[in-house]
Amino acid sequence: MEIERINDNTVKFYISYLDVEERGFSRDEIWFNRDKSEELFWEMMDEVNEEADFVMEGPLWIQVQAMDKGLEVTVTRAQLTKDGQKLDLPDDIEERRKMFSGEEAGSQEFDEFEPVYDEGDTKKLEYSFVLSEVEELLPIAKRLMYMPVDTALYHFDGKYYMHVKFDEILHSEKDVKDQLSVITEYLQQTPMTIHRLEEYGKPIFKEEALPNVLHYFG
């Protein structure tokens, strides 16, 4: 995959169909299966984050252009207002082109932009975190010992991934925020999806990962 950093808010990358297939996806899946296309997108964004230091924060806009031998994807972080709640986007499409591409108005490369997520508008209930050793979960397991939260642990591509799922009824927004603050003290969040972990990863603990880590490694 080829990655090009356009500016502070925009990154562009190209992936061939051969590379797509080597990652375990087919052309039909990325065009007609939303779950699969999202898995591929976040996997690519994880790679972009590592190589181009492009941190995913707030709403994102994506533009996908189909090429003869692959896909060209442009991703832009939306600018926020001072209160952090609304998108600070020009109404004029030409002005949007300027902001997102860093090029002069009139470019025909960008036509539409659609936010793929906005954490400010929805209550996110599932998260994934990456770690090198299972023992890294011990301090988290001890601190969250009495907190009801679903956790699973998988091994994939030389790393461990803990997936955390909160319950919309059991957990308030404050509960989610407090527990995530504990986890992020020790682990880095990753866009790896539970679907990809279940399909390609090796399950260590499919459920109650933190209690099991505390039991076997504590």
Side-chain angles (χ1 to χ4, degrees):
M1 187 170 74
E2 301 176 7
I3 302 172
E4 177 185 0
R5 186 68 178 266
I6 305 300
N7 54 40
D8 289 342
N9 293 314
T10 304
V11 66
K12 180 186 293 185
F13 51 94
Y14 172 83
I15 183 169
S16 68
Y17 290 125
L18 179 59
D19 192 358
V20 169
E21 292 174 356
E22 289 178 347
R23 292 169 184 258
F25 302 90
S26 68
R27 291 196 193 188
D28 288 342
E29 283 179 334
I30 61 175
W31 287 118
F32 303 111
N33 186 315
R34 181 172 181 175
D35 288 340
K36 290 293 184 180
S37 63
E38 288 183 357
E39 285 183 42
L40 176 61
F41 173 76
W42 289 117
E43 180 179 305
M44 292 188 295
M45 286 305 298
D46 197 20
E47 187 173 331
V48 169
N49 182 36
E50 292 180 2
E51 296 189 18
D53 192 26
F54 186 80
V55 180
M56 294 166 286
E57 297 177 339
L60 298 179
W61 274 259
I62 61 172
Q63 187 238 355
V64 181
Q65 183 175 351
M67 315 289 284
D68 289 339
K69 296 183 179 180
L71 302 173
E72 184 180 83
V73 183
T74 303
V75 181
T76 298
R77 287 189 298 240
Q79 298 179 8
L80 303 177
T81 57
K82 292 182 180 179
D83 60 11
Q85 298 299 318
K86 298 180 180 179
L87 302 183
D88 188 11
L89 299 176
D91 293 330
D92 187 82
I93 188 63
E94 298 300 328
E95 292 300 319
R96 293 189 185 188
R97 288 193 180 110
K98 287 181 183 179
M99 183 174 70
F100 291 155
S101 68
E103 300 175 353
E104 295 298 325
S107 168
Q108 299 301 310
E109 185 175 2
F110 296 86
D111 294 321
E112 295 182 0
F113 299 89
E114 178 183 355
V116 294
Y117 76 94
D118 185 347
E119 293 186 77
D121 293 339
T122 59
K123 181 180 176 182
K124 186 176 179 182
L125 298 173
E126 296 189 40
Y127 299 82
S128 292
F129 300 88
V130 60
L131 53 146
S132 300
E133 302 292 339
V134 176
E135 287 80 358
E136 294 177 45
L137 295 177
L138 269 177
I140 302 173
K142 292 177 181 178
R143 293 180 62 179
L144 298 182
M145 185 185 305
Y146 303 108
M147 302 297 179
V149 58
D150 292 333
T151 53
L153 184 65
Y154 290 82
H155 187 263
F156 174 68
D157 199 22
K159 297 179 181 179
Y160 292 94
Y161 293 87
M162 181 176 72
H163 181 262
V164 180
K165 184 177 181 180
F166 295 96
D167 186 279
E168 187 172 9
I169 297 177
L170 292 178
H171 300 98
S172 65
E173 291 187 10
K174 184 179 184 303
D175 292 333
V176 174
K177 182 178 179 181
D178 289 346
Q179 294 186 42
L180 286 178
S181 67
V182 172
I183 298 173
T184 53
E185 284 185 35
Y186 304 93
L187 303 180
Q188 180 180 354
Q189 188 176 341
T190 173
M192 179 71 69
T193 66
I194 185 61
H195 306 291
R196 190 146 184 81
L197 291 174
E198 288 176 340
E199 186 169 356
Y200 298 103
K202 177 183 178 181
I204 307 301
F205 300 116
K206 289 187 176 181
E207 58 184 20
E208 297 188 346
L210 290 180
N212 276 302
V213 166
L214 191 59
H215 176 74
Y216 290 104
F217 298 91

